[in-house]
Amino acid sequence: VKDVPEKISRVAVSCGTHGNELTGVYLYEKWRRSERALRVSGIEPLVLLANPKAVSLGRRYVDRDLNRCFLTGELRDPERESYEGNRAQVINNALGPKWDPGFDFVIDLHTTTANMGTCLIFNEADKLATRAAVHLQREDSSITCSTYGGTGEFAYLPEVSKSGITIEIGPIPQGVVRAKILSRTEELVHKLLTFLSEYRKGLTTIPSGRLEVYRFDGTIAFVEQRETEGKTFIHPERDGRDYEKLERGDPLLIDLDGEVLAYEEDESSWPIFINEAAYYEKNIAMVLTQKHELSWGE
Ligand SMILES: [Zn+2]
């Protein structure tokens, strides 16, 4: 369990972790011009362009996905050769190191092509992130929360600091800026920083709480083991329906001949990242989650 840091002072905002998610890239440009744009009482966040080469190329990454490069073994590996491997080490040196973090909180900015609205993603064991999410969701019930957790280590960027949250907003195509999503992201960053500032001063306490979360629980591949080897894509009845319950027999994918592939598990699921463009190369059609409630302090 990641305890709440005793004091919260060192906070970073990571932009352009994926070079073709322009919301963060444009916000970086904006915040860079006015150094104090993000300052709140007691906190002056470091604003970071995480993957400058991918940003200049307009691509998600150069060699590999930066947001999967933060495992301890790789961060300690002196022989890393990929561009993102090196960037991960630079970021780990600046914000971490992961095994003894210098930074208290990292906000990582992302967008998705999936119909996910405003989603906060964080480690279930991260108490401060959980409280921040509760606080934001109390003000705005349209925010959803998704978590990862359990045993093992995670390779996401915010894991290098003591605590952190990923802001994921969609739908928006890759390589596109939309004013509404830009201002929505900026609003959430301000709200998070204000929460951290108030929490730090003891003005905001959340002694007990409950939070409904969608916990990562596997993926659905486009090409399952089946007799025909043609391409499949998201079934029209499922496309765009992130967070909606999926039950055995529900149509999931369809192929070019119109053959429907249904969900075959007995256990229900709540898919997210449905039709995320970046996952096509990984053969991932959607991410499965389990919906459950985090509760504490009672
Ligand atoms: Zn991203």
Side-chain angles (χ1 to χ4, degrees):
V1 171
K2 295 172 143 193
D3 279 317
V4 177
E6 281 179 16
K7 62 178 180 65
I8 300 159
S9 54
R10 303 188 75 188
V11 177
V13 182
S14 173
C15 308
T17 304
H18 291 137
N20 58 4
E21 297 175 4
L22 296 189
T23 303
V25 175
Y26 276 55
L27 287 174
Y28 173 78
E29 197 64 36
K30 176 177 181 175
W31 295 331
R32 201 174 59 119
R33 286 183 192 169
S34 163
E35 232 165 59
R36 294 187 169 166
L38 286 179
R39 192 165 71 167
V40 292
S41 172
I43 296 172
E44 191 161 340
L46 173 78
V47 181
L48 174 91
L49 190 65
N51 196 335
K53 203 165 164 184
V55 167
S56 69
L57 294 169
R59 279 162 43 186
R60 182 176 174 90
Y61 56 80
V62 179
D63 296 322
R64 46 185 296 224
D65 188 336
L66 177 60
N67 204 28
R68 303 291 185 276
C69 286
F70 291 90
L71 290 177
T72 299
E74 293 192 65
L75 293 171
R76 287 185 188 274
D77 180 0
E79 316 244 298
R80 299 189 71 172
E81 285 177 359
S82 70
Y83 174 72
E84 278 79 12
N86 288 323
R87 284 302 301 164
Q89 288 188 341
V90 168
I91 292 165
N92 185 53
N93 289 337
L95 310 184
K98 189 174 185 179
W99 41 93
D100 185 20
F103 268 66
D104 302 305
F105 204 89
V106 172
I107 303 168
D108 194 19
L109 304 186
H110 290 260
T111 57
T112 173
T113 62
N115 185 26
M116 284 174 63
T118 302
C119 186
L120 303 176
I121 303 176
F122 49 92
N123 188 329
E124 224 166 72
D126 185 334
K127 287 183 176 178
L128 181 58
T130 308
R131 280 154 182 72
V134 168
H135 181 77
L136 263 62
Q137 205 186 48
R138 278 179 186 172
E139 288 184 357
D140 180 351
S141 61
S142 74
I143 293 171
T144 53
C145 294
S146 181
T147 58
Y148 50 92
T151 54
E153 206 202 341
F154 298 94
Y156 308 120
L157 185 150
E159 293 287 302
V160 300
S161 81
K162 287 177 191 150
S163 180
I165 277 184
T166 295
I167 297 175
E168 188 82 66
I169 303 187
I172 182 170
Q174 298 175 335
V176 166
V177 178
R178 283 206 174 112
K180 274 188 182 170
I181 289 182
L182 201 77
S183 59
R184 175 67 164 158
T185 304
E186 189 171 23
E187 175 199 347
L188 283 166
V189 170
H190 281 291
K191 282 186 173 178
L192 269 173
L193 293 172
T194 304
F195 167 81
L196 293 171
S197 170
E198 290 180 353
Y199 195 84
R200 173 179 188 269
K201 290 184 284 190
L203 297 174
T204 302
T205 53
I206 303 175
S208 67
R210 289 167 180 278
L211 182 68
E212 183 184 83
V213 300
Y214 296 84
R215 186 190 204 193
F216 291 1
D217 186 37
T219 57
I220 292 284
F222 275 114
V223 182
E224 298 282 356
Q225 288 177 339
R226 50 202 289 272
E227 284 166 20
T228 57
E229 291 196 353
K231 290 188 186 307
T232 63
F233 43 99
I234 311 284
H235 192 280
E237 286 177 27
R238 180 51 53 179
D239 208 2
R241 290 175 57 195
D242 297 70
Y243 311 109
E244 288 189 32
K245 191 177 184 182
L246 176 68
E247 292 179 288
R248 187 183 174 88
D250 286 346
L252 205 53
L253 304 172
I254 187 166
D255 73 9
L256 293 166
D257 300 319
E259 190 191 335
V260 175
L261 281 83
Y263 182 64
E264 290 174 353
E265 303 298 320
D266 288 326
E267 194 181 36
S268 299
S269 183
W270 286 260
I272 62 174
F273 287 109
I274 297 170
N275 230 343
E276 164 55 50
Y279 292 171
Y280 273 65
E281 66 176 26
K282 305 173 202 248
N283 193 32
I284 292 172
M286 63 190 75
V287 172
L288 298 178
T289 75
Q290 285 302 312
K291 185 173 169 178
H292 73 129
E293 193 173 74
L294 301 178
S295 65
W296 67 92
E298 284 158 30

